[in-house]
Structures are given as structure tokens and as C-alpha cells.
Amino acid sequence: MIEDYFVYPDARGRFGDYGGSYVAETLIEPLAELTRAYHSLRADPAFIAEFERDLKYYVGRPSPIYHAERLSKKVGGAQILLKREDLNHTGAHKINNTIGQALVARHMGKRRIIAETGAGQHGVATATVCARFGLDCVVYMGAVDIERQAINVYRMKLLGAKVVPVTSGSKTLKDALNEAMRDWVTNVADTFYIIGTVAGPHPYPEMVRDFNSVVGREARVQMQEQFGCLPDALVACVGGGSNAIGLFHAFLNDRDVAIWGAEAGGLGLASGHHAASLTAGRPGILHGNRTYVLCDDDGQITETHSVSAGLDYPGVGPEHAFLKDSGRANYVGITDDEALAAFHELARSEGILAALESSHAVAQAIKLARELPKDQLILCNLSGRGDKDVHTIAAREGITL
Amino acid sequence: MNRIDERFAELAATGRTGLIPFVTAGDPLPEATVDLMHALVAAGADLIELGVPFSDPMADGPVIQHASERALARGVGLKQIFGWVRDFRASDANTPVVLMGYMNPVEIHGADRFAREAIDAGVDGVLLVDCPIEEFASAAVLRDAGLRQILLAAPTTAGVRLGRICEAAQGFLYYVSFAGITGADRLSADSVRERVATIKGSTKTPVAVGFGVRDAASAAAIGAFADAVVIGSTLVDRLAGSAGTADACTRARDFLSPIRAALDARAR
């Protein structure tokens, strides 16, 4: 039984058995330097004030909690509430983290920023803050993802970033992460690597969580103000898991709040074509941390599938692995079809186009709402807006734009 | 006594610099690996580093990454690799073999089982690229079973940690000559010399230098002060596209022989 979830990670970056620093020797000292810098900055009220100022005036926080009444009525069960991270500047939760890390980079005197991106949301969020702070920006992106997310690629270029296509491996997010890590190893003296999710070596899972956990802290206060209580359940989609941990973290010690993570079930868990590391994977080591991974019996990381590029990742943040094993959070797979159905349902009943990633969370919220009484409250993280996915959805449905 | 320790003792006794070629297991052709290992020994290799292909080789450059991808595309896995080492051992009982790779294949295979099968096949050591001393406990099973865990030190390794690494080092200590990925071209012999001298001042474990050693001249420059030199990317690149086993062995010999000669010319 875990007494207090807020004490994790420990000094070695461990969340129970997960996390750590499984990286090449060359990166140990730069990571230690980053850990020292970050730990001193997060204890500095001036830094916190700087971060909060940008969240308020640049990102547009707080993001509202919206009661999806028509959707809830149609479902006929518990009430579905949406934490509207899609209303943030750049259209997703990712900016919370990139603002934070860009500020850390600036304090460390690093002028060159690199990032990896899958759907392009983290790339856009990084390019955005680099423009905002006058930093050079290089974004690594899998060649397959570049094709899937042409609009986001162009957005990054408009913001002054250089987008580097990655053609190794499966040409998706994991390969972009490998390539960014290589760049960092080589250019570590002047370069800051803004990782976009709660994975990677220590201190990234902790730092990215801290910057995103504004979502849950805000939601906790808003719930009390608007509804006079905490939600009965939280739901968020999980790829690497940054929006999910962002919502979950502030509620981890509230044992009455159930926690649900929706992973990309792709064509179904039995099909083998999915990206559900927690639901269908096993403990292993990938990208600098011990966590659940999707791999074959020889330890080779397998190629994943999801209709949403942002969830198409064979690992997951180590804190989620810890929350799964400790039983604090439940993780389930949501298929491509279920996510698309939820996308349409939300669009028609509430006038909101959700990102395909977030549509996985909406699908799980709908499932859960059906099973729960009408007076229960489900808070679902609407982590991003769906404009970027309109072409993907049209193509899937055989529509030429 | 472990073959790695024996080999370095011999090198020290004869005043020679060790030559450690790296090849990716199963590349350029799976059927060539065992013959290739023998060819490397015939051309003067003192120890062989055999790369275990991994799908996500974060610390390697494009040359070794592509070699991994080629090997994986041909279905190379631990079972074949242990088999190849066993075949190699059938006619070479002395040349140490170190498996170099990443943690996940070891973890998924099961560290216990990995250690047992590796030793049974005749493997002498492991170099786990993503297992720094902070995560040393993860590989304790391998060391306890008798495999030498080769540790790395880099230009960025700070003083206190370097002390811990020197203390824990076994087999040989692999000094990464510059901050970067394998196969990049950044070697400055003078700065490496200074650093290696510092390391040798705090450990009795032999020091091998790798990353950026590419030909006879750079090997001789490094060999002047290191106990051994490691050559990887340039060799892997040279082997890529071999027409068959014989061609791969010829390429290996042609590449390694002049480097051996340059190292020996320096030694008296």
C-alpha cells in the first residue's frame, strides 16, 4: 500500500521499480546538470512566478471545465465533464511543458533547442515557445508522421523551426526520439533537449509531469468551485502519458477518485496492431527508463499502430507503469473505431472537434458513464483539438477534401 | 581466470597494444559471422566485440544502426548469436568475446538465463551501452555469473563518478573518446591522452579507447598510450555490401592487417 504518491520519484528517478537513467555514459553528466538546475529552479519563487505568468497570459490558463450535458444525456449515465486543454494556445496541453522547459533552458544559458515529435503537437508547442523566447529550434520527426501530419509540419516551419525527417526504423515517434537523443549526445554543450512526454531518463518524467500537473491542480480547485466536490473518476488518453499524468497527479492521494487511462487499442489488442504498452506490453527498458514496452521475445521493440500519431509509441512514462502495478490507476485499450465514433459523437452533441488522441479518452468516458449512476461525475481530459486530424478522418472515411 | 583478463595480461607482458574490432552479429550476412570472427583474429584481433542488434540503438550512429537493422531484418536474435559464439569457440579457445548491446534484450530474455547461456556459449563479457554505473544493480546477475561487465567512461564523466567507475571496472574500461555517437569524426589524440592518463592513475584495469578510431594512423596515435583500441563503425561500413562470406573475410583482413602492423611497429 502506497501511503503518499507525491514522494515519487526518489533521488535516483525511480517510481517503484520503474524510471531510472538507462542512458549512454556521455549523457549522465548532462542529465545530472539538468536535474540540479531544474530542482533549484522549481524551488525558486521567481521562476515559478515566471512560469505561471506565461501560463496565464500566453497559454490562456486556466482552461475551463465544461459540463457536456447533451453528450451525458445521450449516454444516459454519469455526467461527463471535459477539461478543455484544447483551448490552450496551440490547441493542446503540450504547451504547459514546453513553456516550462524553455524557461529552464534559458536559465541554463542554452540557446539551441531540440525536440522530437509524433503527431506534431509537441513539435508545434516547442517551435512556438522557441519563437516566443528567441531560441533556435530543431524538431526531429519520423518520415511517416511527416506525411500524416503535413499541416503541423508547415506550422513548425512558419514558427521558424527546422524540421528534420527521420528515416530510420519505423520512421515514427520512437525513431524521432532516438535521433533527437543522438543530436543531444553530440551537441550537449549548447543544446537543450525538450522531451515532449513523461518518458525518457530522469529527470524528464518528473519535470514534464510537474509542468503538466497544472492541469490537475487547476481541475481540483475548479471541481470544488463548480460542483462542490471532487470528480468520481478521471479519464485521459495515454501514449507517453503526459496529459494523463498532468490530470491525474494532483488527485493521486484522493483514493475515492477512480483513475482511468485509455491507451491506443488500434485494430484491437488481439490483432497485435496497437500501441497499448500498459495493457498488452511487459516491463522492459526503452529510451532511458524502465517501463512497460511493446517488444518481441528477443527484446526488439515492435512497431505500433494507432489512428492517432500522438499515441503511436511502444513505451509509456514510468510513473504510469508504477500506477498500474500499484493498482492506483486502471488502463484499458480503446480501438481506432471506438475513438472515431467518440470523435463524431462529441462533435455532433457538443460542437467540439477533439484530437484523435483525446477521442480515445472521450470513448472511455462514454463507456464508463454508461455503467455509473447519473449523479456521478467523470472528468475527462480533452487534451487537444481535432483540427489537425480533419484530413486523416476524411481520408479514413473515403472523403476527398 | 576470465579470457579477457588473460588476454590483457599477455598484452602487458609482451608490450603490445590490444586491437579490438567490433562487428554487428549477423551483419553483413548471418552465415558469415563465425568465419568473420576467425578472419578478424587471423588479422590480429586480440578481443572481439560482437554487437547484439537492437531496434532502438540510441547511442549508435547511422553506420551501426543500419547494420543492426540489416541483421534484424534477417531475423538475427540471441539464440543465433550464442550459437555463433559456440561455433567460434569450437576452434578458438583463447580469443575473448564481448557482447555489446542494449539492456532491453537482456531484460526480456531474463538476465539469469542470458548469463547462463552466454557463459555456456563461451562469451566472456558484456558491454551494455545503456547501463551506466547508476543502474549497475540491473546487471549484477551477469557479473555474479562470471561475465565481465565492461564499463564506459566519457569526456563528460565527472570526477567523483569517474572514481566510482574506476573502482568498479572489470575486464577493461572502455573510454569513449568524445561526446557523441559511434562513428563520428572528432578524435583529438592529445586530449584523449591526458584523460586516459588520469584514468590509468586511478585503476589497474586496462583502458581501451573507442569512438572515432578509424585507420592505422589514428589507431597508432591512440595505441601510444591506451592498452587497446576499439574499431567499430569504419569496419562495419567496410563490410557492408559484402558479396559473401569469403568477400567479407577478405575485406576484414584487408582493413585490420595494416592497423595491426601500425600498432606493432610502435611496440618494440
Side-chain angles (χ1 to χ4, degrees):
Chain A
M1 180 69 186
I2 311 281
E3 293 288 328
D4 179 5
Y5 281 93
F6 294 162
V7 301
Y8 296 92
D10 66 16
R12 291 168 56 227
R14 292 275 174 172
F15 302 86
D17 289 337
Y18 302 100
S21 307
Y22 293 91
V23 293
E25 177 60 30
T26 322
L27 283 179
I28 293 288
E29 187 49 37
L31 286 167
E33 186 195 349
L34 173 60
T35 305
R36 285 190 298 271
Y38 172 60
H39 284 174
S40 110
L41 285 170
R42 78 173 170 185
D44 177 357
F47 175 81
I48 299 298
E50 201 179 1
F51 177 53
E52 286 176 352
R53 201 161 47 237
D54 260 29
L55 289 183
K56 183 171 179 187
Y57 297 107
Y58 188 66
V59 177
R61 303 205 69 92
S63 69
I65 288 179
Y66 168 72
H67 183 184
E69 283 183 81
R70 267 174 45 83
L71 175 65
S72 304
K73 194 165 280 175
K74 273 173 105 172
V75 172
Q79 304 306 304
I80 298 173
L81 315 177
L82 302 173
K83 177 66 173 162
R84 298 291 309 274
E85 289 298 294
D86 61 317
L87 296 178
N88 290 339
H89 178 45
T90 73
H93 72 287
K94 295 285 187 188
I95 190 109
N96 302 320
N97 169 49
T98 56
I99 288 268
Q101 288 198 52
L103 287 171
V104 175
R106 211 169 59 161
H107 278 275
M108 291 178 78
K110 312 241 175 186
R111 307 291 310 172
R112 179 174 178 268
I113 300 292
I114 58 169
E116 85 296 335
T117 196
Q121 294 303 92
H122 173 58
V124 168
T126 304
T128 299
V129 299
C130 287
R132 155 88 180 81
F133 293 115
L135 303 165
D136 293 335
C137 183
V138 177
V139 178
Y140 290 93
M141 189 168 183
V144 168
D145 290 337
I146 286 183
E147 206 160 299
R148 288 197 278 197
Q149 304 287 343
I151 291 178
N152 270 345
V153 174
Y154 186 55
R155 287 170 79 193
M156 286 184 264
K157 288 179 180 167
L158 288 174
L159 292 161
K162 185 179 162 206
V163 180
V164 181
V166 177
T167 55
S168 56
S170 57
K171 307 178 178 62
T172 58
L173 177 57
K174 77 178 177 73
D175 309 286
L177 214 153
N178 289 332
E179 210 55 44
M181 199 65 87
R182 291 194 186 103
D183 179 315
W184 199 40
V185 174
T186 311
N187 301 300
V188 73
D190 69 340
T191 298
F192 189 99
Y193 180 14
I194 298 190
I195 291 185
T197 192
V198 285
H202 182 60
Y204 283 100
E206 177 185 36
M207 179 168 66
V208 176
R209 174 199 72 193
D210 290 352
F211 290 138
N212 269 314
S213 58
V214 62
V215 177
R217 278 200 309 275
E218 233 173 58
R220 218 166 168 283
V221 174
Q222 289 168 320
M223 286 300 301
Q224 299 280 11
E225 283 173 1
Q226 288 174 243
F227 302 92
C229 61
L230 296 182
D232 297 289
L234 304 173
V235 182
C237 64
V238 179
S242 69
N243 90 82
I245 211 75
L247 176 65
F248 299 166
H249 192 256
F251 295 93
L252 288 178
N253 286 338
D254 300 312
R255 306 304 164 111
D256 293 338
V257 179
I259 298 180
W260 293 86
E263 292 195 293
L267 305 180
L269 296 183
S271 72
H273 299 284
H274 58 78
S277 321
L278 290 163
T279 322
R282 47 185 153 183
I285 293 168
L286 178 66
H287 292 145
N289 66 99
R290 184 192 298 276
T291 186
Y292 278 75
V293 301
L294 291 169
C295 67
D296 65 19
D297 289 340
D298 239 352
Q300 307 301 338
I301 303 304
T302 41
E303 294 193 7
T304 49
H305 165 83
S306 170
V307 66
S308 85
L311 301 184
D312 208 348
Y313 179 63
V316 63
E319 192 161 9
H320 287 292
F322 171 61
L323 294 178
K324 174 191 162 79
D325 282 12
S326 73
R328 181 64 187 94
N330 309 288
Y331 296 89
V332 292
I334 291 291
T335 65
D336 290 352
D337 287 345
E338 290 173 319
L340 278 157
F343 170 89
H344 286 297
E345 190 62 59
L346 186 67
R348 294 296 181 89
S349 54
E350 299 291 349
I352 296 170
L353 298 183
L356 282 175
E357 290 78 9
S358 320
S359 298
H360 287 70
V362 174
Q364 175 57 21
I366 291 173
K367 274 191 185 179
L368 204 56
R370 282 202 191 101
E371 297 163 10
L372 296 175
K374 288 196 163 99
D375 61 346
Q376 294 227 336
L377 303 176
I378 299 172
L379 179 60
C380 173
N381 202 7
L382 201 71
S383 55
R385 69 178 180 219
D387 308 51
K388 70 180 176 60
D389 295 315
V390 166
H391 280 84
T392 307
I393 292 162
R396 250 185 96 92
E397 296 176 351
I399 295 160
T400 315
L401 298 178
Chain B
M1 197 178 182
N2 185 288
R3 272 181 285 259
I4 300 172
D5 304 335
E6 280 175 18
R7 181 51 49 95
F8 275 99
E10 282 164 29
L11 288 169
T14 53
R16 296 168 74 235
T17 302
L19 176 55
I20 306 178
F22 167 96
V23 289
T24 298
D27 185 70
L29 299 160
E31 63 272 21
T33 296
V34 176
D35 288 340
L36 191 54
M37 291 168 76
H38 287 305
L40 291 169
V41 174
D46 293 296
L47 183 155
I48 292 174
E49 263 187 27
L50 200 55
V52 177
F54 182 48
S55 50
D56 293 75
M58 278 198 313
D60 284 300
V63 170
I64 291 176
Q65 179 177 23
H66 290 144
S68 276
E69 286 175 2
R70 286 192 296 267
L72 290 175
R74 293 172 192 267
V76 172
L78 286 173
K79 185 161 182 262
Q80 290 97 316
I81 296 172
F82 291 142
W84 291 330
V85 175
R86 185 175 294 109
D87 289 351
F88 171 76
R89 275 281 165 260
S91 47
D92 187 330
N94 303 318
T95 308
V97 173
V98 169
L99 295 185
M100 179 167 181
Y102 292 78
M103 284 293 287
N104 200 53
V106 177
E107 286 269 315
I108 297 298
H109 198 72
D112 277 326
R113 183 176 156 213
F114 180 96
R116 213 168 43 241
E117 293 176 6
I119 286 180
D120 190 48
V123 172
D124 305 288
V126 288
L127 195 167
L128 297 165
V129 182
D130 53 353
C131 184
I133 199 157
E134 281 70 12
E135 307 297 348
F136 212 41
S138 303
V141 172
L142 307 182
R143 293 190 299 276
D144 293 347
L147 292 168
R148 296 283 182 266
Q149 186 184 358
I150 309 307
L151 291 175
L152 296 118
T156 51
T157 305
V160 177
R161 285 191 70 255
L162 187 60
R164 284 178 60 205
I165 290 169
C166 285
E167 203 170 305
Q170 46 175 229
F172 62 95
L173 204 156
Y174 189 132
Y175 180 66
V176 177
S177 55
F178 59 85
I181 50 176
T182 54
D185 185 13
R186 285 222 201 158
L187 196 60
S188 147
D190 286 343
S191 63
V192 180
R193 179 199 308 270
E194 238 171 77
R195 191 74 172 165
V196 170
T198 309
I199 295 172
K200 287 179 76 73
S202 20
T203 182
K204 286 193 165 56
T205 308
V207 179
V209 174
F211 279 43
V213 183
R214 50 183 54 244
D215 52 20
S218 52
I222 297 296
F225 52 85
D227 298 305
V229 295
V230 184
I231 301 196
S233 297
T234 321
L235 172 59
V236 170
D237 194 33
R238 195 63 65 90
L239 297 175
S242 295
T245 300
D247 182 28
C249 292
T250 306
R251 290 183 190 207
R253 271 192 299 270
D254 290 352
F255 176 74
L256 213 59
S257 298
I259 296 171
R260 176 80 266 169
L263 289 174
D264 290 345
R266 206 195 44 75
R268 277 138 296 151

